[in-house]
Structure formats: structure tokens, C-alpha cells
Amino acid sequence: MFKAVMIEKSADGTQSVAIRDVPEDQLPEGDVTVRVEYSTLNYKDALAITGRGPIVRSFPMIPGVDFAGVVENSQHPDFAPGARVILNGWGVGEKHWGGLAQKARMSGDWLVPVPAQLTTRQAMEIGTAGYTAMLCVQALQREDVTPDKGPVLVTGAAGGVGSVAIMLLSRLGYHVVAVTGRPEEEAYLTGLGASEIRARQDFSTPGKPLDKARWAGAVDVAGGVILANVCASMAYGGVVTACGLASDMSFPSTVAPFILRGVTLVGIDSVMCPKHRRLAAWAGLAELIDAAKLAAMTSDITLDDAIEAAASLLDGKIRGRVVVRMP
């Protein structure tokens, strides 16, 4: 038996969630079984647990889009028992049982090794949010957005993706402008490396098709009007990486930034991202992460706390990263 957060749905469509003892023989198919040491609580996990978003595609479901742990059994050639591994995405926590549990079983093709410089806990202090932030940063680099080109904007700055993005960009020498709806977090954001703080309301009402050119690059987790206003205020040749919809799924923009300023909008998907980019992202994270700042942006909860914490995360009451310790 192992403990897990379990989401279930009754015949009348009512969703329920609780901590359950689950027989190990009920684990789904896969060629690697992992003893999970740490997981995290992400935005998508919170939507699944609370039922506020249509994340779960089959029931019953163990949520948790990521985890880090130690291989117990393996028929996969890349992973022997005792190997430390990370899982991010691949539909885990949506259509395949996920990481908010003491055990997980899945295809070894979905796993990557924990970099030697990191512990399994640090891997989840980074988690899917930090891995997504690194994908954004590396996309900006591929598009030749260098620190000398100008400032880089980060929306949702006090959240998991935003917090890690600020840390990474500042470590690389960028002038980082943090956008947040939580002015009380200014000291936290400047401590991570933000050079300027902008209020979310500056971006949250419909603006002009083109605004004053300000930003060489941007990392956007919001979508909606915020993303449209970010695109409208990009400098010539600027690059926006879009990786979330925390504000809205819509994109009420015009073609003006793209055809008049040569702005590039790059979509970032962490779920089905090819393995070579995953490995590159984790290698970059291991090199750039400031362990002290990472620990400072992280709060710890137990598996028993995860259900209550999910609502707090969606209500904007949690900043930075949340690590879930397994019993």
C-alpha cells in the first residue's frame, strides 16, 4: 500500500478528493516504478484538485504533474534501480497517475536523470515551474535576445514560473522587469534579481494595437489582455515566450506588433517537450540555479496538506514554489 492524493468522480458527476491508501498492484502500466521522495504543487495540480478546471481526463486520478525520486524496479535500459529521476509532464496527473503519491509507475521514456549537482528536493524546488521557466529563457537565447538588447519583462512574477525566470535571467545578466499584482512582494522579487517592479493593472485593461516600445524579451504566464499588451509594447525584433493562461486563455491582440515591429511570439509547452530540450533545460538549471535563493522562494508542505494548499494557490495566497514531502 502507498499513500496518495486521489481524485474521484461519482455517478452523478460530483468530484471528491482525499488522501487514500492505494494497493501497489493498482499502479498503471509502465516499465519503471519510482519511490517518490518529493513532488510539487503546480497551477495545473491545483485546478485538478479543486475541480476549478477540466484537467483530469480519467477517474480515479492521482494528480501531480511532476516528481523526483529513486527507481525501485525497472525494465528500461536507461534506468537501473537506485537511479535518481525526474518526471515532468507527459499527461501525468491528467490521464496517467501522477506524482502526489509515495509511488509512481510510468514509461522510462518520460523520465530524465537528476543532474549530479542537484538533490531530489532541489529538483522539485525547481519543478515543472522552474523547468518551464528555463525553456522560456533558452527560447529567448535561441532567438538572440541577449542582455545588451534591452530589458526583459516577466509577468506573474511572484508565482513559480515567474520567480525562477527572474532568478535565471538576472544570473545571466539581463535587466529584469517584474510584473505582479502583489505589491507587498517587492522585496521578494528584488531579492530574486528583479531590477524594476511594474503593477499588473498597467497591463490588465485593453490597450493600443501598438504601445511605446519597451521590452527586448518577455516571459508571459498570463495570456489574455496582459499578453496582448505585452506584445504591443515590445521593442523592434522583440521576442515573447508564452507559457501560461493564469489570466485568460484568449489572446485579444492584432497583427500590428508582428508585421510592424517584427515581434516573435514563441509558444512554450513543457508537457510534450522533446527529450533533448528537457535534458538541455535541466543541465542549464543545474548550472544557473542559486541554491540559497531557490530555498528562500520555496515553502514545504506534506502530502496531507496538498488538498487545502491547492485552493490557496489558485487564490493567489502562495508565492514561489511549493514542495510536497512524501511521508
Side-chain angles (χ1 to χ4, degrees):
M1 303 287 281
F2 64 95
K3 289 189 178 296
V5 175
M6 185 68 77
I7 303 173
E8 298 170 295
K9 182 174 280 190
S10 64
D12 65 2
T14 302
Q15 178 174 306
S16 61
V17 58
I19 305 296
R20 302 284 191 209
D21 288 314
V22 183
E24 190 167 341
D25 62 9
Q26 291 186 13
L27 283 167
E29 292 185 2
D31 54 8
V32 180
T33 303
V34 178
R35 174 172 52 81
V36 179
E37 294 184 338
Y38 297 96
S39 185
T40 66
L41 193 65
N42 294 286
Y43 187 79
K44 188 180 286 187
D45 302 324
L47 288 173
I49 291 169
T50 61
R52 296 189 199 178
I55 300 299
V56 178
R57 303 184 196 180
S58 65
F59 296 88
M61 177 57 59
I62 295 174
V65 302
D66 55 11
F67 65 75
V70 177
V71 172
E72 286 195 335
N73 297 291
S74 175
Q75 286 76 51
H76 194 281
D78 291 348
F79 300 104
R84 302 182 310 141
V85 293
I86 302 168
L87 182 285
N88 303 109
W90 296 115
V92 170
E94 302 175 59
K95 54 187 179 181
H96 187 100
W97 282 9
L100 287 171
Q102 290 176 296
K103 301 268 187 175
R105 181 180 295 144
M106 59 215 37
S107 168
D109 292 341
W110 299 349
L111 302 171
V112 297
V114 178
Q117 306 96 309
L118 300 176
T119 65
T120 51
R121 176 188 164 77
Q122 286 173 323
M124 285 298 99
E125 288 177 346
I126 296 167
T128 288
Y131 149 66
T132 302
M134 189 76 240
L135 292 175
C136 291
V137 171
Q138 291 181 333
L140 292 174
Q141 292 176 318
R142 285 196 303 273
E143 296 291 334
D144 199 33
V145 179
T146 51
D148 61 292
K149 297 287 180 66
V152 174
L153 193 75
V154 177
T155 67
V161 174
S163 293
V164 180
I166 291 169
M167 181 198 305
L168 295 171
L169 289 164
S170 65
R171 292 268 288 185
L172 288 166
Y174 291 87
H175 181 97
V176 184
V177 181
V179 179
T180 183
R182 295 185 255 176
E184 68 275 11
E185 302 292 4
E186 180 173 351
Y188 167 74
L189 296 171
T190 55
L192 291 176
S195 300
E196 299 178 45
I197 311 295
R198 293 287 299 270
R200 184 172 59 202
Q201 58 260 36
D202 294 345
F203 298 84
S204 57
T205 56
K208 302 174 183 177
L210 279 179
D211 209 331
K212 181 179 178 181
R214 294 178 173 88
W215 327 114
V219 174
D220 178 68
V221 305
V225 171
I226 292 174
L227 175 58
N229 285 328
V230 170
C231 289
S233 56
M234 297 303 293
Y236 190 89
V239 179
V240 181
T241 57
C243 64
L245 43 69
S247 176
D248 199 336
M249 185 182 286
S250 68
F251 181 44
S253 185
T254 73
V255 298
F258 311 108
I259 65 172
L260 297 179
R261 289 188 183 160
V263 170
T264 299
L265 179 60
V266 180
I268 303 297
D269 169 52
S270 65
V271 177
M272 305 303 290
C273 180
K275 193 161 188 176
H276 72 278
R277 287 201 171 162
R278 292 172 181 266
L279 292 170
W282 279 102
L285 287 160
E287 179 181 345
L288 290 172
I289 281 295
D290 182 316
K293 288 182 179 179
L294 185 64
M297 74 166 69
T298 304
S299 56
D300 278 65
I301 62 174
T302 66
L303 189 64
D304 290 337
D305 300 326
I307 296 171
E308 182 178 354
S312 297
L313 190 153
L314 293 184
D315 293 339
K317 297 177 181 177
I318 295 176
R319 73 179 187 193
R321 303 285 300 122
V322 179
V323 167
V324 182
R325 300 190 312 275
M326 291 305 120

